């Protein structure tokens, strides 16, 4: 990357495409790959200098949303009112190549919850995606101020999503994946209303980053990230459920399967989860009443 040039979501490379069979050939052409680079998130507040709180491998783009959504999911901030600035770091020690790979979030006041220590020692080579499975469900429920399913917001008590709306989400999500169309290498997450209309969709090489981006987009806009529906590509992991619960999502849908720990957390938090949402079929794992089951 040339100095002071912001990395894009995709990168051009020269490839050799091998075609086998009777008409086999080797074709040399240019192809696009999804860009993957580290993003270091730093945090500061009045009287406290900026310190690194996390590093994640991500696809460049919507970096401020990613940093904001990550800190929201960790309980560090509650709304845009907690933010003073979100900006790329201007540390003179950074090389030009690193300039757009470090985001500093400055809070207007001390965080309501200290950043989790599990991220403190991460490096770009060892960054983890989301919450480690060894974290207790009780800790996540406490983070969300839930205290169990009875403590969940009653926002979605009357939510009933029609089967055709749920089954249409993966296609609507895919239709918004501009970079995936040219690279085939990105996950996506999208917030939708009860009719299946998307409010925000984001792509990233990490499915957890894509969720942080859609949540961060809402927070930076000064709006609540709560939405009737969150659809993600791939599977439902523990960290995806945590982010959905903190954002106060009604139904979490995915084309893949959930993990056992993800279902355990979703059940305790009163979050509806549906996996294998494709081909006129889906499997409901928790809070089935929201899908009319």
């Amino acid at each position: 990357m040339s100095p002071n040039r912001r990395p894009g979501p995709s990168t051009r490379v020269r490839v050799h495409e091998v075609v086998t069979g009777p008409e086999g050939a080797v074709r040399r052409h240019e192809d696009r790959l999804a860009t993957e680079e580290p993003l270091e998130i730093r945090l500061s507040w009045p009287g406290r200098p900026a310190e690194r709180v996390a590093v994640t491998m991500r696809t460049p783009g919507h970096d401020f949303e990613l940093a904001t959504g990550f800190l929201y999911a960790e309980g560090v901030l509650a709304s845009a009112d907690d933010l003073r600035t979100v900006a790329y770091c201007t540390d003179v020690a950074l090389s030009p190549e690193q300039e757009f790979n470090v985001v500093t979030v400055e809070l207007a006041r001390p965080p309501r919850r200290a950043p989790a220590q599990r991220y403190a020692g991460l490096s770009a080579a060892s960054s983890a995606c989301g919450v480690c499975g060894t974290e207790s469900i009780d800790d996540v429920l406490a983070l969300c101020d839930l205290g169990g399913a009875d403590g969940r917001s009653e926002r979605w008590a009357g939510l009933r999503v029609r089967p055709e709306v749920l089954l249409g989400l993966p296609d609507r999500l895919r239709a918004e994946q501009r970079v995936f169309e040219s690279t085939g290498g990105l996950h996506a997450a999208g917030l939708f209303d009860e009719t299946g209309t998307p409010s925000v969709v984001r792509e990233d090489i990490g499915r957890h980053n894509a969720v942080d981006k859609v949540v961060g987009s809402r927070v930076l806009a000064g709006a609540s990230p709560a939405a009737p529906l969150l659809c993600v590509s791939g599977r439902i992991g523990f960290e995806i459920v945590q982010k959905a619960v903190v954002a106060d999502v009604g139904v979490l849908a995915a084309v893949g399967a959930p993990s056992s720990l993800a279902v355990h957390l979703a059940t305790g938090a009163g979050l509806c989860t549906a996996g294998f949402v494709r081909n006129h079929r889906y499997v409901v794992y928790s809070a089935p009443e929201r899908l009319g089951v």
Side-chain angles (χ1 to χ4, degrees):
M1 184 175 65
S2 60
N4 300 315
R5 181 180 178 185
R6 184 176 302 187
S10 65
T11 304
R12 292 181 180 273
V13 296
R14 296 292 298 177
V15 301
H16 295 73
E17 182 179 356
V18 179
V19 180
T20 62
E23 299 180 0
V26 176
R27 302 169 183 167
R28 299 173 179 83
H29 60 88
E30 194 174 70
D31 202 357
R32 282 188 175 274
L33 299 179
T35 306
E36 181 178 23
E37 293 195 1
L39 179 71
E40 178 178 326
I41 300 172
R42 297 180 180 179
L43 182 66
S44 71
W45 58 88
R48 182 72 173 264
E51 293 184 359
R52 181 177 70 180
V53 295
V55 178
T56 185
M57 299 303 296
R58 101 300 190 192
T59 299
H62 306 289
D63 291 332
F64 296 170
E65 294 177 356
L66 171 55
T68 301
F70 170 82
L71 294 174
Y72 186 90
E74 288 298 300
V76 174
L77 56 90
S79 70
D81 292 337
D82 293 332
L83 296 170
R84 175 169 290 174
T85 60
V86 183
Y88 288 110
C89 186
T90 57
D91 191 331
V92 293
L94 292 177
S95 67
E97 290 79 6
Q98 293 176 302
E99 179 182 353
F100 295 109
N101 285 337
V102 180
V103 168
T104 298
V105 177
E106 183 182 4
L107 301 181
R109 58 189 64 87
R112 62 172 186 157
R113 183 176 188 267
Q117 289 299 308
R118 63 180 172 272
Y119 296 103
L122 294 183
S123 66
S126 64
S127 59
C129 53
V131 175
C132 173
T134 60
E135 291 291 315
S136 73
I137 287 178
D138 287 343
D139 181 57
V140 176
L141 293 177
L143 162 65
C144 304
D145 296 322
L146 298 175
D150 291 341
R152 272 288 277 170
S153 166
E154 296 182 357
R155 186 192 305 268
W156 311 119
L159 179 63
R160 297 295 182 271
V161 178
R162 300 192 310 275
E164 60 270 26
V165 170
L166 186 72
L167 287 167
L169 293 181
D171 286 342
R172 293 192 174 191
L173 186 69
R174 176 67 182 274
E176 299 291 328
Q177 290 186 253
R178 307 301 183 214
V179 183
F180 178 88
E181 196 65 33
S182 62
T183 65
L186 292 180
H187 286 287
L191 294 174
F192 298 80
D193 67 16
E194 294 179 45
T195 69
T197 301
S199 59
V200 57
V201 174
R202 293 290 184 263
E203 297 178 274
D204 199 277
I205 203 160
R207 63 176 65 86
H208 56 291
N209 289 338
V211 175
D212 282 337
K213 286 179 177 181
V214 297
V215 171
S217 172
R218 298 286 293 166
V219 173
L220 286 175
S224 168
L229 296 160
L230 168 63
C231 184
V232 299
S233 60
R235 63 179 180 83
I236 300 176
F238 184 86
E239 75 282 355
I240 300 297
V241 171
Q242 181 215 351
K243 295 175 188 298
V245 169
V246 176
D248 197 7
V249 165
V251 176
L252 171 59
V255 297
S259 69
S260 61
L261 198 62
V263 172
H264 192 177
L265 173 58
T267 300
L271 170 68
C272 178
T273 52
F276 300 106
V277 183
R278 58 181 186 267
N279 300 328
H280 308 287
R281 171 183 178 267
Y282 54 89
V283 180
V284 186
Y285 296 89
S286 58
E289 66 279 359
R290 292 186 192 156
L291 297 178
V293 179

